[in-house]
């Protein structure tokens, strides 16, 4: 969702800030001898404050209002469900509510130290609380309730009141699980009885025919568990879940909690100004590039052990065929070096040891699923995360052939100009679809949170002759316009862009440009997410000369706003669809406009551009679609379901009496049955991969499974079906499908 911006000539103001900051701080001599060094924390606060204030598009005043915002965000982040702190803690903390601005400027850590120490104390106390609560059976006959609206809930006034809050919270969780288990067991028992009855009838018929009995064929249902046994199971499972939660908390150190405090400060500038600790910065880089250097395995914590949860298709571990999902990592060694025991080690630290540069060796001592111990040597390599990249499919409908391109992110590899990026990949997919003879293209950017702005310019340029794509404005500077300057058009046929309420940032710029040119029809949610700002990631390590300081991480700060070519901002408003399709989550508050401290909407002058004229059926296609949607029973059901989901979001009080809870859940389940056709829907269309993927799919079972799942999802997607209907309505003349050389533009802004 968050875009990043490169340092280029046009961004001289930011460069000037960095230079000034460098001159100020390079002379700062600093030596860190401890992992949790308060002097390092103070330096970090100084760097962050200066960089944000000088580089932010519209920096907030650091005053009492700013302080109140930090206080609110930070306390909520530490204890969102109000199950750790007591009211007496909050009373003590609140004395700092209007002092945090002064503490920030003075690099005073007293508030952080107080809250951190208290949180650690309360968490230790909570471990005993939940274990005590789960040591005895719950009495589900008592008439009591629990309110899950934590925001409005008061803090516990005493230790006994806090324990009761834990008891009710855990009781609600176990009650829900218990009712599900009872229902499942009852269904199984009924099914078994039915099967037994059917078999008995069959046996009777056999007996009449053969005059023989087959007593040993009678099915006896499994003995059902007692209520007490099921109740005990739910408590045991709840205990395991809480053990895992506190195990995760144990993995967090003081630096992790200090990052929470810092991000409560950065959020006061705007929701997209964030601090990245070293590991988070690395994850951000991976997410924007879609690749990493390592073995290609996803890891997860399992008690004190690290488990392989998944192998990334095509990666070194996957190619080696020795490491498997479910293997537990005991030791990690580098090349010929001594292996280090990683049992009990933080997950992030294990990941650091396993990752490494391409060509280097890592040795993993693993406990296999069968219990055997094995040492596996893997040569690290570049791992591409295929799910990040664009992919396409073909579908035949009423004698016409259409292509669908799904773009999950506007990715780019900033370190390698020859690496993969969304602009190049979408151009290639368009060319492949043309070679396959498609009559129209759907570009699906639903749930696409953004990425590189330069790739937006490249992708939009595939569908227009030439012209402006997006306008950018920095604080105190004239606007800048990014153009597609290539007169070639890769695809001049019918085009539909699919969006939803989670299409954000770069996705919105693409949809807005296509809409302003009237080049294609935007179909989806009422409006997109509404993020119209540009962020720049600044490495903080460049400002400190001493290498002993450790990795200071980076700051992502809002430096610019972007605007549509019609002059309007996508900030808050997003892009409003030409055709609005009912959305199950349409009434929930999840957009930028619903975020605290979001930057305002505004507009600038319109850019000079001409709308697309080769669209005779454009308005009629929109009208036809709106008529279809209004009469479609499935869409009507989705709209009704959306209103029901919205009304359910306001219901926060749950009974902890099992009979009352069962009745309430039964009513909800009965109502939910009405909406089951939404998930069971099938559009009766068949989607297939393009010819170029055939060999890869045959060689890679994992890729084959992923494509089959995607095609199955498309075949159940009413939104895709309507997008194809719109393409059908846009057909007006024979479409030129001759091959045009794929254009890759490299004269645009490098990062966004």
């Amino acid at each position: 969702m968050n875009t990043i911006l490169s340092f280029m000539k046009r961004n001289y103001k930011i460069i000037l800030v960095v230079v000034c900051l460098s001159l100020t701080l390079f002379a700062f001599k600093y030596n860190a001898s401890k992992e949790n060094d308060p002097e390092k924390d103070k330096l970090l606060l100084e760097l962050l404050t200066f960089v944000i204030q000088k580089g932010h598009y519209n920096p907030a005043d650091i005053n009492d209002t700013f302080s109140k915002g930090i206080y609110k965000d930070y306390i909520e982040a530490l204890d969102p469900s109000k199950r750790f702190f007591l009211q007496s803690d909050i009373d003590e903390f609140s004395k700092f509510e209007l002092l945090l601005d002064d503490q920030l400027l003075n690099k005073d850590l007293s508030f952080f130290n107080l809250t951190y120490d208290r949180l650690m104390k309360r968490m230790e106390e909570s471990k005993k609380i939940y274990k005590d609560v789960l040591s005895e059976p719950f009495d589900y006959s008592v008439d009591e309730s629990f309110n899950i609206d934590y925001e409005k809930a008061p803090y516990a006034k005493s230790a006994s009141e806090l324990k009761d809050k834990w008891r009710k919270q855990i009781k609600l969780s176990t009650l829900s699980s218990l009712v599900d288990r009872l229902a499942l067991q009852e269904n199984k028992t009924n099914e078994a009885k039915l099967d037994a009855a059917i078999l008995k009838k069959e046996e009777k018929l056999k007996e009449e025919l053969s005059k023989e009995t087959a007593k040993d064929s009678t099915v006896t249902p499994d003995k059902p568990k007692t209520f007490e046994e099921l109740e005990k199971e739910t408590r045991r499972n709840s205990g395991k879940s809480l053990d895992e939660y506190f195990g995760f908390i144990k993995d967090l150190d003081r630096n992790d909690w200090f990052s929470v405090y810092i991000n409560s400060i950065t959020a006061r500038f705007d929701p997209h100004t964030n601090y990245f600790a070293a590991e988070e910065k690395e994850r951000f880089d991976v997410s924007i590039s879609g690749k990493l250097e390592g073995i290609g395995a996803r890891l997860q914590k399992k008690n004190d052990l690290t488990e392989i949860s998944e192998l990334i298709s095509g990666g070194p571990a996957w190619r080696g065929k020795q490491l498997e999902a479910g293997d537990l990592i005991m030791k990690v060694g580098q090349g010929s070096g001594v292996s280090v025991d990683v049992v009990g080690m933080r997950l992030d630290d294990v990941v650091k040891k396993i990752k490494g540069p391409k060509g280097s060796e890592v040795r993993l001592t693993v406990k296999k699923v069968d219990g055997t111990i094995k040492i596996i040597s893997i040569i690290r390599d570049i791992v591409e995360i295929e799910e990040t990249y664009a992919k396409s499919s073909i579908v035949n409908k009423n004698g016409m052939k259409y292509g669908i391109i799904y773009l999950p992110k506007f990715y780019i590899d900033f370190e390698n100009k020859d690496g993969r990026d969304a602009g190049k990949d979408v151009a290639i997919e368009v060319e492949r679809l043309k070679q396959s003879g498609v009559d129209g293209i759907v570009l699906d950017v639903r749930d696409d949170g953004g990425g590189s702005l330069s790739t937006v310019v490249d992708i939009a340029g595939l569908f227009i002759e030439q012209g402006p794509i997006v306008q950018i404005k920095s604080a105190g500077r004239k606007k800048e316009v990014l153009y597609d300057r290539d007169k070639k058009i890769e695809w001049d046929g019918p085009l539909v862009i699919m969006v939803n309420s989670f299409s954000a940032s770069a996705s919105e710029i693409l949809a807005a440009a296509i809409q302003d040119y009237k080049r294609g029809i935007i179909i989806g949610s009422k409006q997109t997410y509404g993020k119209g700002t540009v962020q720049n990631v600044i490495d903080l390590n460049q400002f400190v000369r001493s290498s002993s300081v450790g990795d200071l991480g980076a700051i992502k700060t809002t430096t610019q706003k972007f605007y549509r070519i019609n002059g309007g901002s996508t900030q808050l408003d997003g892009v409003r669809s030409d055709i609005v399709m009912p959305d199950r989550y349409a009434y929930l508050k999840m957009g930028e406009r619903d975020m605290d401290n979001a930057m305002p909407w505004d507009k600038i002058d319109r850019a000079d551009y001409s709308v697309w004229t080769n669209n005779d059926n454009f308005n009629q296609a929109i009208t036809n679609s709106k008529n279809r949607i209004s009469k479609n029973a499935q869409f009507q059901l989705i709209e009704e379901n959306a209103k029901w989901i919205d009304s359910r979001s306001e219901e926060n009080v749950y009974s902890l009496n099992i009979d009352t809870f069962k009745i309430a859940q039964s009513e909800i389940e009965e109502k939910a049955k009405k909406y089951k056709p939404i998930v069971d829907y099938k559009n009766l269309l068949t989607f297939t991969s393009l010819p170029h993927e055939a060999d890869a799919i045959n060689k890679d079972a994992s890729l084959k499974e992923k494509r089959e799942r995607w095609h199955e999802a498309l075949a159940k997607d009413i939104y895709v079906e309507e997008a194809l209907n719109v393409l059908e309505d846009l057909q007006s003349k024979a479409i030129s499908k001759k091959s045009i050389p794929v254009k890759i533009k490299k004269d645009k802004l490098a990062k966004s």
Side-chain angles (χ1 to χ4, degrees):
M1 181 175 303
N2 298 311
T3 52
I4 52 179
L5 183 67
S6 67
F7 289 116
M8 298 182 70
K9 290 180 181 178
R10 56 173 66 95
N11 295 322
Y12 65 86
K13 185 175 180 182
I14 296 172
I15 293 174
L16 184 62
V17 169
V18 172
V19 170
C20 291
L21 186 56
S22 301
L23 292 173
T24 304
L25 295 173
F26 266 122
F28 190 95
K29 293 182 179 179
Y30 175 77
N31 291 294
S33 58
K34 296 181 293 182
E35 183 180 352
N36 299 323
D37 191 332
E39 292 306 313
K40 177 181 175 181
D41 296 339
K42 291 177 182 179
L43 174 64
L44 194 52
L45 288 178
E46 184 177 17
L47 280 166
L48 286 167
T49 307
F50 192 79
V51 170
I52 296 174
Q53 280 190 305
K54 298 300 181 183
H56 195 276
Y57 180 82
N58 185 26
D61 293 329
I62 298 179
N63 53 23
D64 286 353
T65 301
F66 187 90
S67 180
K68 288 176 72 174
I70 297 172
Y71 178 83
K72 177 178 176 293
D73 289 351
Y74 178 57
I75 296 299
E76 284 181 359
L78 292 186
D79 189 10
S81 55
K82 298 181 179 176
R83 59 178 177 174
F84 294 122
F85 292 136
L86 297 170
Q87 183 60 51
S88 58
D89 297 325
I90 300 302
D91 292 341
E92 189 175 353
F93 299 159
S94 65
K95 297 173 184 177
F96 293 86
E97 188 175 16
L98 300 179
L99 301 176
L100 299 183
D101 54 327
D102 301 312
Q103 289 205 346
L104 174 61
L105 296 174
N106 294 322
K107 300 179 289 297
D108 186 340
L109 300 173
S110 55
F111 175 68
F112 169 74
N113 291 333
L114 171 66
T115 52
Y116 171 73
D117 291 341
R118 189 65 50 81
L119 181 66
M120 295 302 102
K121 181 174 184 289
R122 296 297 183 223
M123 282 184 167
E124 279 301 313
E125 293 169 351
S126 296
K127 289 180 187 178
K128 183 178 185 305
I129 290 175
Y130 85 77
K131 290 182 185 298
D132 286 348
V133 167
L134 289 168
S135 65
E136 298 291 335
F138 287 112
D139 182 356
Y140 293 113
S141 65
V142 178
D143 282 323
E144 58 181 353
S145 61
F146 185 68
N147 191 330
I148 62 169
D149 187 353
Y150 300 115
E151 188 176 348
K152 294 178 182 177
Y155 287 93
K157 292 182 175 61
S158 64
S160 59
E161 193 176 313
L162 184 64
K163 183 174 182 179
D164 193 55
K165 181 180 281 193
W166 271 92
R167 180 187 66 80
K168 287 183 176 180
Q169 193 174 46
I170 296 172
K171 186 178 181 180
L172 176 59
S173 174
T174 55
L175 174 58
S176 178
S177 177
L178 177 60
V179 169
D180 288 343
R181 286 167 188 267
L182 287 167
L184 184 63
Q185 181 166 278
E186 185 179 349
N187 290 339
K188 282 184 177 179
T189 302
N190 291 338
E191 287 172 7
K193 285 179 180 177
L194 182 62
D195 290 344
I198 292 170
L199 282 178
K200 234 175 188 179
K201 191 173 183 180
E202 288 176 351
E203 293 302 332
K204 190 175 182 180
L205 288 171
K206 284 181 183 178
E207 186 180 350
E208 289 174 357
L209 291 169
S210 62
K211 303 298 182 182
E212 296 177 3
T213 43
K215 295 178 181 179
D216 55 349
S217 303
T218 308
V219 172
T220 303
D222 291 336
K223 182 181 178 182
K225 293 179 181 178
T226 65
F227 179 91
E228 289 73 19
E229 288 172 330
L230 290 174
E231 192 277 338
K232 188 175 182 179
E233 267 186 25
T234 61
R235 281 187 291 117
R236 183 169 61 247
N237 289 338
S238 185
K240 286 180 181 178
S241 296
L242 285 164
D243 288 342
E244 287 177 7
Y245 169 75
F246 278 94
F248 167 76
I249 292 295
K250 182 183 175 184
D251 260 4
L252 301 178
D253 60 19
R254 186 180 181 280
N255 290 331
D256 294 315
W257 292 107
F258 191 60
S259 291
V260 174
Y261 180 55
I262 288 176
N263 276 305
S264 299
I265 296 170
T266 59
R268 302 323 303 161
F269 290 92
D270 78 284
H272 306 290
T273 292
N274 312 116
Y275 168 67
F276 289 144
E279 292 84 3
E280 292 171 295
K281 172 63 166 58
E282 188 175 345
R283 283 192 286 268
F284 179 81
D285 290 340
V286 168
S287 73
I288 203 70
S289 69
K291 71 175 192 178
L292 54 86
E293 288 186 272
I295 66 170
R298 290 191 172 94
L299 311 179
Q300 65 183 18
K301 201 74 173 168
K302 189 170 185 180
N303 299 322
D304 279 343
L305 302 172
T306 301
E307 182 182 55
I308 303 292
S309 61
E310 182 187 357
L311 300 181
I312 297 173
S313 182
W318 177 85
R319 293 197 302 266
K321 297 182 180 179
Q322 294 188 75
L323 202 62
E324 300 171 287
D327 288 350
L328 299 172
I329 301 173
M330 317 296 287
K331 295 181 180 181
V332 179
Q334 311 299 328
S336 59
V338 177
S339 292
V340 177
D341 191 337
V342 296
V343 175
M345 190 177 287
R346 296 173 70 236
L347 183 61
D348 280 345
D349 293 333
V350 178
V351 171
K352 282 181 187 176
K353 292 185 180 300
I354 295 175
K355 275 185 177 181
K358 176 182 177 180
S360 60
E361 181 192 20
V362 62
R363 287 178 297 106
L364 304 181
T365 302
V366 300
K367 183 177 182 180
K368 304 294 287 182
V369 178
D370 62 7
T372 59
I373 305 296
K374 189 174 183 179
I375 298 175
I376 299 173
S377 173
I378 301 173
I379 303 300
R380 299 178 178 106
D381 201 351
I382 300 294
V383 181
E384 293 191 336
I385 305 169
E386 193 60 39
E387 303 96 299
T388 301
Y389 299 134
K391 59 186 176 184
S392 59
S393 178
I394 288 176
V395 59
N396 290 294
K397 186 176 187 293
N398 297 333
M400 308 292 279
K401 185 185 285 187
Y402 300 114
I404 296 174
I405 301 173
Y406 173 57
L407 183 63
K409 188 183 289 288
F410 288 80
Y411 50 88
I412 195 168
D413 185 352
F414 294 125
E415 305 303 321
N416 179 11
K417 64 181 178 63
D418 297 320
R420 294 187 70 166
D421 74 54
K424 289 191 293 186
D425 286 357
V426 172
I428 291 168
E429 296 301 329
V430 168
E431 179 64 16
R432 286 168 174 164
L433 290 173
K434 283 168 56 181
Q435 295 285 356
S436 298
V438 299
D439 299 296
I441 291 176
V442 173
L443 180 53
D444 185 355
V445 291
R446 290 177 295 174
D447 300 318
D448 186 330
S452 163
L453 194 59
S454 67
T455 59
V456 178
V457 177
D458 290 341
I459 293 170
L462 300 173
F463 307 109
I464 66 168
E465 186 175 1
Q466 65 177 357
I469 303 299
V470 60
Q471 303 188 90
I472 300 177
K473 194 171 185 300
S474 302
R477 290 186 59 203
K478 291 182 179 180
K479 72 175 184 182
E480 176 188 10
V481 184
L482 303 187
Y483 290 88
D484 166 46
R485 300 186 184 278
D486 192 333
K487 290 186 177 182
K488 293 177 185 176
I489 305 172
E490 308 308 329
W491 177 252
D492 63 357
L495 176 68
V496 170
I497 308 290
M498 293 187 71
V499 299
N500 64 7
S501 54
F502 294 107
S503 301
S505 193
S507 299
E508 296 174 285
I509 285 300
L510 175 64
I514 296 299
Q515 187 176 62
D516 290 343
Y517 276 108
K518 293 192 74 173
R519 172 60 188 91
I521 291 176
I522 313 302
I523 183 169
S525 301
K526 181 180 178 181
Q527 64 192 98
T528 55
Y529 187 83
K531 180 183 178 291
T533 56
V534 182
Q535 281 69 44
N536 175 47
V537 177
I538 302 172
D539 186 351
L540 296 176
N541 296 294
Q542 62 186 302
F543 303 127
V544 179
R545 187 166 45 188
S546 172
S547 60
S548 62
V549 68
D551 198 328
L552 288 166
I555 179 72
K556 175 168 65 67
T557 185
T558 298
T559 55
Q560 297 176 313
K561 290 181 77 173
F562 52 68
Y563 298 82
R564 304 172 65 134
I565 54 176
N566 70 8
S569 173
T570 58
Q571 180 66 12
L572 303 187
D573 273 7
V575 177
R576 296 182 181 273
S577 296
D578 298 315
I579 299 168
V580 176
M581 294 189 286
D583 176 357
R584 293 177 75 188
Y585 307 107
Y587 298 100
L588 300 182
K589 295 180 178 179
M590 298 182 292
E592 178 95 357
R593 59 200 167 277
D594 303 308
M595 296 184 74
D596 184 34
N597 212 34
M599 294 181 71
W601 178 91
D602 63 341
K603 65 182 296 185
I604 59 175
D605 294 337
R606 179 186 189 274
D608 185 18
Y609 68 97
S610 301
V611 299
W612 184 263
T613 56
N614 187 17
N615 52 7
D616 296 338
N617 292 352
F618 192 89
N619 293 329
Q620 189 59 49
I622 293 174
T623 300
N624 291 351
S625 180
K626 288 180 177 178
N627 288 336
R628 274 192 302 269
I629 291 169
S630 67
K631 297 173 184 175
N632 186 295
Q634 187 75 0
F635 278 126
Q636 290 171 3
L637 189 63
I638 292 171
E639 175 67 16
E640 185 182 329
N641 186 220
K643 291 177 179 176
W644 182 64
I645 289 172
D646 183 46
S647 67
R648 288 278 308 133
S649 68
E650 299 299 319
E651 296 176 19
N652 298 310
V653 179
Y654 290 84
S655 173
L656 300 180
N657 175 284
I658 191 167
D659 295 326
T660 307
F661 185 86
K662 276 183 177 179
I663 292 170
Q665 291 303 111
S666 179
E667 290 174 353
I668 292 170
E669 287 169 12
E670 196 60 36
K671 182 72 173 177
K673 285 179 184 177
K674 182 178 182 180
Y675 306 117
K676 194 172 184 295
I678 294 174
V679 294
D680 292 340
Y681 182 81
K682 291 187 178 179
N683 56 37
L684 303 180
L685 297 169
T686 302
F687 298 83
T688 57
S689 292
L690 274 66
H692 78 279
E693 266 195 337
D695 287 343
I697 287 174
N698 289 334
K699 295 175 184 176
D700 185 346
S702 175
L703 178 62
K704 182 181 180 182
E705 184 182 356
K706 287 174 183 175
R707 288 297 181 265
E708 286 175 350
R709 285 183 184 178
W710 182 42
H711 294 155
E712 286 172 10
L714 290 173
K716 297 178 69 176
D717 195 329
I718 191 173
Y719 302 106
V720 168
E721 181 182 23
E722 183 54 30
L724 295 172
N725 289 337
V726 174
L727 279 184
E728 212 166 19
D729 289 338
L730 285 171
Q731 303 295 328
S732 59
K733 62 181 180 66
I735 300 167
S736 172
K737 302 184 185 71
K738 65 181 181 179
S739 176
I740 303 174
V742 175
K743 61 175 180 179
I744 306 298
K745 308 180 200 68
K746 284 297 173 187
D747 58 338
K748 306 296 189 299
L749 188 62
K751 301 180 183 180
S752 70

